Amino acid sequence: MKVPVIILCGIVLLILLGKVIEQLSIKSKCKSKTEGNLIGMDDSFMSNGGAPGESQFYAIYYPIYEYIVDGIAYWAQLNKYNKNAAQFAKKVSVFYDPEDPEKCFINNVPGHIISRYNKEEYDKNNGGKNLTLDYKWRP
């Protein structure tokens, strides 16, 4: 019985090690830096797991930052949450891969691109207004 458990643990360890190596490889390519701005948050609701009718729910927030590279605006959502939305920095340093700007790290957390658009074209076609308060309607 111990041998299958050891083999299973070894497989899990190899998978985790592979993921860590992949993240380090991506991070090593993210040498360019720009400024990012907090433009919104996605939220999710969690339960404390109590008995039916006694559970308490609370919100957790995932920040979304916008950064611009060569006239293209990218929206990166971080897979790092907080129960207090006010805890997220309004301005951050974004490290990105100059050959693939969709690969980025913000505060050592990889960003997941949820949207991108040509900012210069957008601003030109909308009278130069940058309406970033409600990101959900954007491209």
Side-chain angles (χ1 to χ4, degrees):
M1 187 69 156
K2 290 183 180 181
V3 173
V5 172
I6 292 172
I7 292 172
L8 181 61
C9 288
I11 291 170
V12 169
L13 185 61
L14 285 174
I15 291 171
L16 290 174
L17 185 61
K19 295 236 180 238
V20 168
I21 291 171
E22 178 186 5
Q23 286 297 317
L24 289 174
S25 173
I26 292 170
K27 191 173 182 180
S28 71
K29 294 177 184 176
C30 294
K31 297 186 186 279
S32 294
K33 180 180 172 184
T34 190
E35 183 178 273
N37 295 304
L38 181 68
I39 61 165
M41 285 167 244
D42 276 344
D43 55 24
S44 184
F45 293 91
M46 304 296 288
S47 167
N48 66 356
E54 296 178 8
S55 297
Q56 293 181 350
F57 291 88
Y58 57 92
I60 57 174
Y61 302 94
Y62 296 89
I64 299 172
Y65 289 96
E66 179 180 70
Y67 64 98
I68 300 167
V69 177
D70 296 329
I72 304 297
Y74 297 90
W75 291 356
Q77 180 177 349
L78 300 187
N79 195 22
K80 182 176 182 180
Y81 68 87
N82 198 315
K83 292 180 184 178
N84 183 353
Q87 293 295 313
F88 296 116
K90 304 290 186 232
K91 294 192 179 293
V92 294
S93 293
V94 178
F95 292 89
Y96 65 92
D97 181 346
E99 294 181 21
D100 185 1
E102 289 193 9
K103 293 180 180 167
C104 68
F105 278 80
I106 300 170
N107 296 332
N108 289 318
V109 177
H112 168 70
I113 301 301
I114 59 171
S115 184
R116 71 170 182 248
Y117 65 97
N118 185 317
K119 181 158 177 41
E120 293 169 359
E121 191 68 26
Y122 173 83
D123 287 347
K124 182 173 73 173
N125 289 331
N126 288 288
K129 296 177 185 171
N130 185 5
L131 307 173
T132 58
L133 296 178
D134 183 4
Y135 69 89
K136 294 184 187 242
W137 63 268
R138 279 246 176 114

